[in-house]
Amino acid sequence: MQTDFAVETKDLTKVYVDFWGRPKVRAIDRLNLSINRGEIFGLLGPNGSGKTTTIKLLLGLIFPTAGEAVVLGHPPGDVATNSRIGFLPEESYLYRFLNAEETLDFYGQIFHIPRRERKRRVADLIETVGLSFARKRPLKEYSKGMSRRIGLAQALINDPDLILLDEPTVGLDPIGSREIKDLILELKKQGKTILLSSHLLADVEDVCDRIAILDKGHLQVVGEVDDLLSLKDTLEIRVRRISPELRDKIEALLRENDAELVSTEHPSRTLEDLFLKTIEETKSEDRSSPG
Amino acid sequence: MKTVAALAKHTFKDSLRKKTPLVIFFLALVLLGCLQFLPAITPDDRLKLVQVVSSKAATFFAIVVAIFLAASSIPVDIEDKTIYSVLTKPVSRLAYILGKTVGLILVTGTILLLMSLISYGVVRLVALQAAPKGLAEPLMAKIPLYASSLIHQAEGEGAAQVPPGEMAGLSGSGKMEAQWQWEGIKISDFPAEEIALQGRFLVLGRVTGGTMKFVAINPTSGQKEEALAKLKPYENFTVSFPASILAPAGALKVVASAEEPEIYFGVTLRDLFLLKKPGSFTINFLKSVVLIFLQLLVIVPIAVVGSSFLSAPVSVTFSFFIYFCSNIVELMRALAHSLTEPGTGVFGASIIGHVHGPVEIPEQTLVVKIINTILKYFIYAISYILPDFSKFAPANFLADKIDIPLRAILLLLAYALLYAASLLTVSFFIFRRREVGK
Ligand SMILES: Nc1ncnc2c1ncn2[C@@H]1O[C@H](COP(=O)(O)OP(=O)(O)OP(=O)(O)O)[C@@H](O)[C@H]1O
Ligand SMILES: [Mg+2]
């Protein structure tokens, strides 16, 4: 299968079987996806819809029942291709007895990164994911969010071209989640292709160029986020200094023209906005106050 | 290669941090400490016991650690999903298996080394305690020189060569002789004053044993020397001759005959040997550690094969079972051999008891014979597929203070490497098609 896409699947199907080989779950059913180089692609879907299964198939951790996948021009699991891939599993499954530095150093060795360069990259990445304060603590003592961060760092140790992130922001606090999203956008700027799965719609909305929605292993929707989310026949007007009379007039005008008024509340900021702002404010106060 | 090294190093580190090896290491410490208080009749016996027990304990603990770590290595990686972040990096499945194996052999080897250091210290200590009690050289390694041929002769019959491994009988009543012949003897290999012969024969007829006459003959000079030895069942004996018997160097014959009519001796080619100048105990001890290490070289890949397709508990059980069978290979062959004999085998054995007079052993019926034949060749096949671990056991060498021949170690090394290589190949082919994402 020749392809210009970073990732392409053709009728990819995965049926989980039990010990005796009897089919149990059809987790992915004839999935056709193509992910362009340099884009951020979001894989959405409710729990158990097959997101993780798709990613595992793309990595060669499990083998398809039917169909095929091409990753960076090669079949999944290809050893040479793996040196250009970064993967953050659904949960961070790393060696519990190693600390952050040792963990990253070990993965760096696997990529044959020279010692000096490795040291520099390890330090940089720990800084980037905000774990400097815990770099000497064994991972078994890490909190969920911290594990997530070190997981992300290990996925980036080889400066990969294609990054697969399975629910990257799960378990992170809002700031962490914002930081990760910024990092993802930064990676895109560096020309990397990113495939992320999530059911946190806000995350996806923020960063993805294109998304696909899976349900029970079937591809339901695929397309550009802007296209999918913008409601072309809906208009939201926000007005300051509006008088009750003007408001009555507008409502009357709408009725005359047979347009349906959906809501007239004053827009509110999201909880996330509020939380972020509060934290941001206390942070800057801390800094300015002496002692 | 670099990848394998990185994985091996990582496996080593990870295993040590998991502390499992330490638990067993402490257990070994306790056991070796207890050895100090073992009762034994003579200082020499005590020393023997300490050596045998510590060598066997070290083997046992090393093997247990090896099996637990290796048999669970891949299943635990899959269970913990740590394998995700390794196999999605440029690590081939072969490199993964090799890295694990090498790392685990290093871990268990290190544990073995530590245990051996303790054993060595304990043995030295016990030897020190034994020395004032009149034991001249408590620790040494005797270097045997085996005869090149054994000839058996009975009055009225011709002389017959006894093939290696076969036993010839010497009874005092039958005027029988056994003649061991050595060739290519170098005088410089032997002590200056006296040369010694050591041996252990099968002794039947009297529990206290019997007397045997040994005559050493130098065929070149015609010099003859006689010595008598008291032989007890299951015990080593030594007889000495003046060293002048060796000159001129080259060949030597030793003729043995039983002195008392009611005693019967069974002798084989390797039951009697000349003792060269003794070697160093420390080197021999090191060799014994190498032998145990060679066992690890085989058992780790066996457990890795198990772990490449089984779950951790099943794989541990599987590995212990294989290890157990590998220690009784000879017994399995004997069992297989007897299966098709009349009166034995599955369904074929009938109770023969309380019958006076000649007993008729029933022939096996055809069906039973077929079942037994299939079983026989099945057990035979398995006994030849399994590595023979009894060959790697150093305890008897230490107990008898016999030098472990370097040649044997090299042969066993080749044998172990061959096994390890084939096992790892098998493991790779199984693991190659295994889905590691659950
Ligand atoms: N090892 C397995 N054996 C059997 N069935 C499995 C296995 N792994 C996943 N499944 C099934 O496959 C389906 C898809 O699972 P998958 O983990 O891909 O979902 P997901 O979209 O990642 O869900 P989530 O949002 O909860 O992470 C589910 O029905 C699940 O039960
Ligand atoms: Mg999932």
Side-chain angles (χ1 to χ4, degrees):
Chain A
M1 202 155 83
Q2 269 298 321
T3 169
D4 282 335
F5 297 106
V7 174
E8 189 168 23
T9 69
K10 210 169 149 231
D11 291 331
L12 195 64
T13 304
K14 177 68 189 176
V15 179
Y16 285 108
V17 296
D18 67 6
F19 181 77
W20 307 107
R22 291 175 304 196
K24 234 172 30 182
V25 186
R26 185 168 282 264
I28 288 289
D29 198 10
R30 288 174 310 234
L31 180 69
N32 291 295
L33 272 186
S34 4
I35 300 172
N36 303 313
R37 290 179 194 260
E39 76 175 348
I40 305 181
F41 191 93
L43 209 51
L44 296 182
N47 293 132
S49 55
K51 304 183 291 292
T52 301
T53 302
T54 308
I55 292 177
K56 282 182 189 167
L57 284 168
L58 294 179
L59 288 163
L61 290 172
I62 53 177
F63 308 125
T65 312
E68 59 176 327
V70 179
V71 179
L72 296 175
H74 295 277
D78 184 78
V79 174
T81 316
N82 277 354
S83 57
R84 298 167 53 203
I85 295 181
F87 168 50
L88 169 68
E90 194 166 10
E91 278 171 42
S92 295
Y93 307 110
L94 301 174
Y95 290 94
R96 302 171 60 241
F97 296 93
L98 301 184
N99 66 34
E101 277 180 351
E102 289 168 329
T103 304
L104 295 183
D105 190 68
F106 164 55
Y107 292 118
Q109 282 176 32
I110 288 186
F111 284 102
H112 307 323
I113 302 170
R115 182 186 295 271
R116 208 171 254 241
E117 165 73 5
R118 208 161 68 215
K119 248 187 138 166
R120 195 184 57 75
R121 249 193 241 184
V122 168
D124 281 358
L125 276 172
I126 289 180
E127 187 68 43
T128 309
V129 298
L131 282 176
S132 309
F133 69 99
R135 70 166 86 95
K136 296 274 184 214
R137 274 160 64 184
L139 300 197
K140 63 175 184 208
E141 293 172 11
Y142 272 26
S143 74
K144 188 164 180 189
M146 288 160 76
S147 305
R148 225 48 215 139
R149 288 162 190 260
I150 186 70
L152 191 66
Q154 73 64 46
L156 299 178
I157 187 81
N158 57 326
D159 192 19
D161 296 334
L162 172 66
I163 306 166
L164 305 172
L165 306 170
D166 200 352
E167 306 196 7
T169 56
V170 76
L172 290 178
D173 57 57
I175 299 183
S177 149
R178 185 71 255 165
E179 282 169 2
I180 298 301
K181 282 188 261 181
D182 290 343
L183 179 61
I184 292 173
L185 290 170
E186 174 59 34
L187 290 168
K188 178 196 150 101
K189 264 191 220 145
Q190 293 169 18
K192 306 189 183 308
T193 311
I194 296 148
L195 167 63
L196 61 88
S197 89
S198 184
H199 38 231
L200 299 175
L201 300 175
D203 286 0
V204 177
E205 204 181 323
D206 285 356
V207 297
C208 290
D209 300 317
R210 289 200 308 142
I211 55 166
I213 300 180
L214 283 177
D215 189 26
K216 300 202 184 79
H218 292 277
L219 183 63
Q220 302 292 356
V221 178
V222 59
E224 307 249 338
V225 176
D226 294 343
D227 287 352
L228 292 175
L229 293 189
S230 74
L231 305 165
K232 295 277 154 55
D233 56 351
T234 310
L235 190 63
E236 191 178 290
I237 308 169
R238 297 186 183 198
V239 188
R240 247 192 264 277
R241 293 190 303 277
I242 189 167
S243 65
E245 301 83 63
L246 180 55
R247 185 177 165 158
D248 287 345
K249 265 189 215 165
I250 292 173
E251 279 179 16
L253 190 64
L254 287 174
R255 267 194 302 275
E256 270 167 37
N257 287 285
D258 211 23
E260 186 193 354
L261 184 68
V262 181
S263 70
T264 53
E265 307 132 41
H266 300 285
S268 67
R269 52 185 169 183
T270 61
L271 180 60
E272 191 183 351
D273 290 338
L274 175 70
F275 186 90
L276 282 175
K277 206 154 170 239
T278 323
I279 303 281
E280 220 62 80
E281 272 166 16
T282 50
K283 238 190 192 171
S284 52
E285 266 167 35
D286 277 353
R287 230 171 279 141
S288 54
S289 65
Chain B
M1 215 50 229
K2 260 189 187 165
T3 314
V4 174
L7 287 170
K9 209 172 103 192
H10 174 254
T11 305
F12 187 88
K13 212 161 155 184
D14 197 52
S15 307
L16 288 189
R17 294 228 177 137
K18 277 181 184 155
K19 299 199 180 87
T20 19
L22 280 184
V23 175
I24 293 170
F25 170 59
F26 278 121
L27 216 67
L29 253 177
V30 170
L31 188 118
L32 292 171
C34 286
L35 276 179
Q36 284 284 1
F37 306 102
L38 267 183
I41 316 113
T42 66
D44 198 33
D45 277 346
R46 191 180 154 84
L47 194 57
K48 204 175 189 174
L49 211 59
V50 168
Q51 294 203 49
V52 172
V53 171
S54 63
S55 168
K56 290 206 162 157
T59 312
F60 175 75
F61 286 126
I63 294 280
V64 168
V65 176
I67 288 183
F68 270 102
L69 285 182
S72 62
S73 61
I74 300 179
V76 163
D77 260 16
I78 292 180
E79 196 63 38
D80 290 352
K81 307 193 179 175
T82 42
I83 200 167
Y84 286 11
S85 50
V86 176
L87 284 189
T88 53
K89 298 198 163 41
V91 174
S92 69
R93 298 211 170 186
L94 184 62
Y96 175 78
I97 286 186
L98 288 180
K100 278 252 164 244
T101 309
V102 172
L104 289 168
I105 287 175
L106 289 180
V107 174
T108 44
T110 308
I111 293 170
L112 172 66
L113 206 64
L114 292 174
M115 289 196 294
S116 302
L117 274 177
I118 297 170
S119 298
Y120 185 78
V122 172
V123 169
R124 276 278 178 211
L125 210 70
V126 174
L128 220 59
Q129 289 172 343
K133 288 171 196 154
L135 211 63
E137 261 187 295
L139 293 178
M140 58 160 164
K142 298 176 186 172
I143 305 176
L145 181 68
Y146 290 100
S148 49
S149 65
L150 170 63
I151 288 161
H152 181 257
Q153 201 160 15
E155 200 178 39
E157 290 172 35
Q161 179 114 14
V162 182
E166 278 186 28
M167 188 175 273
L170 286 182
S171 91
S173 57
K175 288 235 162 27
M176 299 182 196
E177 275 183 7
Q179 190 184 93
W180 283 263
Q181 296 184 337
W182 281 265
E183 268 139 41
I185 288 180
K186 280 200 227 88
I187 293 181
S188 58
D189 284 348
F190 291 87
E193 276 100 53
E194 257 189 358
I195 58 156
L197 270 174
Q198 183 175 324
R200 173 151 68 183
F201 297 156
L202 175 75
V203 183
L204 298 174
R206 204 194 290 142
V207 278
T208 51
T211 313
M212 187 163 241
K213 187 171 85 178
F214 290 96
V215 183
I217 305 162
N218 185 322
T220 324
S221 68
Q223 190 183 343
K224 268 191 192 182
E225 300 285 346
E226 247 185 62
L228 290 178
K230 188 97 180 118
L231 271 55
K232 290 187 193 144
Y234 311 111
E235 269 186 36
N236 289 323
F237 64 86
T238 46
V239 278
S240 313
F241 297 100
S244 60
I245 188 84
L246 292 179
L252 186 75
K253 283 189 209 168
V254 171
V255 181
S257 53
E259 286 287 276
E260 297 127 309
E262 68 271 31
I263 309 288
Y264 175 93
F265 298 102
V267 300
T268 73
L269 177 63
R270 289 174 76 88
D271 277 353
L272 190 69
F273 46 83
L274 282 167
L275 290 177
K276 294 190 189 178
K277 280 182 196 158
S280 139
F281 165 75
T282 305
I283 291 179
N284 203 31
F285 186 85
L286 266 175
K287 286 181 182 170
S288 81
V289 177
V290 170
L291 273 192
I292 304 176
F293 180 73
L294 292 182
Q295 296 194 26
L296 296 176
L297 214 55
V298 179
I299 199 70
V300 169
I302 286 180
V304 167
V305 169
S307 86
S308 58
F309 69 105
L310 298 168
S311 71
V314 182
S315 161
V316 168
T317 318
F318 164 85
S319 308
F320 271 113
F321 180 70
I322 298 278
Y323 180 69
F324 173 74
C325 291
S326 300
N327 274 291
I328 53 158
V329 166
E330 293 291 334
L331 194 70
M332 284 170 68
R333 280 178 209 155
L335 176 77
H337 178 77
S338 72
L339 271 178
T340 46
E341 301 290 307
T344 60
V346 179
F347 312 120
S350 47
I351 299 152
I352 312 160
H354 308 293
V355 185
H356 298 281
V359 177
E360 219 173 277
I361 300 169
E363 271 293 320
Q364 296 178 350
T365 65
L366 189 63
V367 178
V368 167
K369 219 170 193 158
I370 289 171
I371 293 174
N372 280 323
T373 308
I374 292 171
L375 211 60
K376 172 180 179 162
Y377 287 105
F378 180 69
I379 296 177
Y380 261 136
I382 290 187
S383 82
Y384 283 104
I385 292 171
L386 291 175
D388 187 352
F389 270 104
S390 59
K391 288 203 173 71
F392 294 88
N396 289 340
F397 282 104
L398 290 178
D400 293 343
K401 298 185 188 172
I402 300 279
D403 184 66
I404 303 171
L406 201 62
R407 217 175 81 91
I409 293 187
L410 292 178
L411 272 177
L412 286 172
L413 172 68
Y415 181 81
L417 287 177
L418 194 73
Y419 253 101
S422 5
L423 285 165
L424 290 175
T425 312
V426 170
S427 177
F428 166 65
F429 277 103
I430 298 173
F431 187 57
R432 197 170 58 143
R433 288 307 299 164
R434 178 158 186 197
E435 295 198 322
V436 295
K438 328 182 307 140

